[in-house]
Amino acid sequence: EAGVTQFPSHSVIEKGQTVTLRCDPISGHDNLYWYRRVMGKEIKFLLHFVKESKQDESGMPNNRFLAERTGGTYSTLKVQPAELEDSGVYFCASSQVRGALNTEAFFGQGTRLTVV
Amino acid sequence: AQTVTQSQPEMSVQEAETVTLSCTYDTSESDYYLFWYKQPPSRQMILVIRQEAYKQQNATENRFSVNFQKAAKSFSLKISDSQLGDAAMYFCAYRSGIQGAQKLVFGQGTRLTINP
């Protein structure tokens, strides 16, 4: 079974440009999460989808970030326009919903975004 | 808000030796989960070990074990008989035990090097 996959693995863009990151969760996983790690700091939660609905977007830094999950399958995270401080590694994770139990989250390898 | 602190940015150990990675956290909740994740270079982050706060017994997974001190809010990871494949970034993480709570709160990470 394929794990969580993220595209691209690396992206270098200029300040002011737009970048779209994609995440394909494990098939059947209704929960999808985005996290970000700015260089040398902790990994921070951005948002959480349950199927196509945003369950919690409290971690989104500002309105330059837009996450979508149309159809409840893959998700995209768009940064427009990108700023230097957006550089970091963006992680996606997915997990199953099993009643009241919180099941393990499986992570992708991350997308390293560099804004120059 | 909960916080997780990893005070060791880097650690190194000789192959076959034992190493302990530190993690402390802050929370006012009594029910929660704690995790150690491992991210090898350019690879997916994977779950190493998990501890439920209501369990007094320390979790163990083969060569990996934790020292969970609930009163001290400490959750260290011990790796015994270190192997070259253990080299990675290790992240300590917290998740609330509240039903429906999904997001993880991470520490800053510890880069572990294994010396042959």
Side-chain angles (χ1 to χ4, degrees):
Chain A
E1 179 182 312
V4 177
T5 52
Q6 293 185 243
F7 306 95
S9 56
H10 294 85
S11 180
V12 181
I13 62 170
E14 292 184 351
K15 176 182 172 180
Q17 288 187 322
T18 297
V19 63
T20 300
L21 314 181
R22 172 170 168 147
C23 170
D24 286 70
I26 293 173
S27 178
H29 282 194
D30 287 337
N31 289 310
L32 187 148
Y33 318 83
W34 283 99
Y35 290 86
R36 174 174 76 169
R37 185 180 189 223
V38 173
M39 193 57 65
K41 297 193 175 181
E42 70 271 24
I43 300 171
K44 285 194 172 180
F45 169 82
L46 296 178
L47 88 160
H48 169 210
F49 284 100
V50 177
K51 296 185 180 179
E52 67 274 10
S53 300
K54 292 176 184 175
Q55 185 78 8
D56 180 357
E57 51 183 327
S58 60
M60 294 289 265
N62 52 60
N63 58 10
R64 295 185 294 102
F65 289 75
L66 175 64
E68 294 181 323
R69 192 183 182 195
T70 307
T73 54
Y74 70 91
S75 175
T76 58
L77 180 65
K78 185 193 306 189
V79 185
Q80 179 182 27
E83 298 290 343
L84 298 179
E85 63 264 26
D86 301 332
S87 296
V89 180
Y90 290 76
F91 293 99
C92 176
S94 71
S95 69
Q96 285 182 309
V97 176
R98 274 196 209 133
L101 295 177
N102 291 320
T103 59
E104 175 188 347
F106 292 84
F107 282 78
Q109 83 281 13
T111 292
R112 181 174 296 278
L113 175 65
T114 302
V115 183
V116 297
Chain B
Q2 295 83 23
T3 59
V4 176
T5 302
Q6 292 178 250
S7 59
Q8 305 155 316
E10 296 184 353
M11 292 281 285
S12 64
V13 64
Q14 290 296 125
E15 194 176 1
E17 300 278 301
T18 295
V19 64
T20 298
L21 308 185
S22 300
C23 173
T24 58
Y25 58 95
D26 189 29
T27 183
S28 58
E29 298 177 334
S30 58
D31 186 23
Y32 50 87
Y33 302 86
L34 296 165
F35 307 85
W36 278 98
Y37 281 88
K38 164 188 177 182
Q39 187 185 23
S42 300
R43 293 178 60 187
Q44 293 170 317
M45 189 153 57
I46 58 173
L47 179 64
V48 174
I49 199 164
R50 160 190 173 134
Q51 175 81 42
E52 289 86 349
Y54 64 85
K55 290 186 177 178
Q56 292 187 332
Q57 187 171 7
N58 289 324
T60 299
E61 287 289 343
N62 301 315
R63 299 182 295 106
F64 297 86
S65 61
V66 297
N67 183 4
F68 173 46
Q69 301 289 329
K70 191 172 184 179
K73 295 179 182 174
S74 171
F75 182 61
S76 60
L77 174 70
K78 184 171 82 171
I79 306 173
S80 303
D81 186 25
S82 298
Q83 300 176 1
L84 295 179
D86 295 333
M89 282 292 295
Y90 286 81
F91 294 97
C92 179
Y94 170 104
R95 189 179 75 205
S96 170
I98 295 173
Q99 185 174 333
Q102 297 280 353
K103 68 181 180 185
L104 294 164
V105 179
F106 285 91
Q108 302 91 328
T110 297
R111 182 176 302 281
L112 178 64
T113 302
I114 311 295
N115 300 313

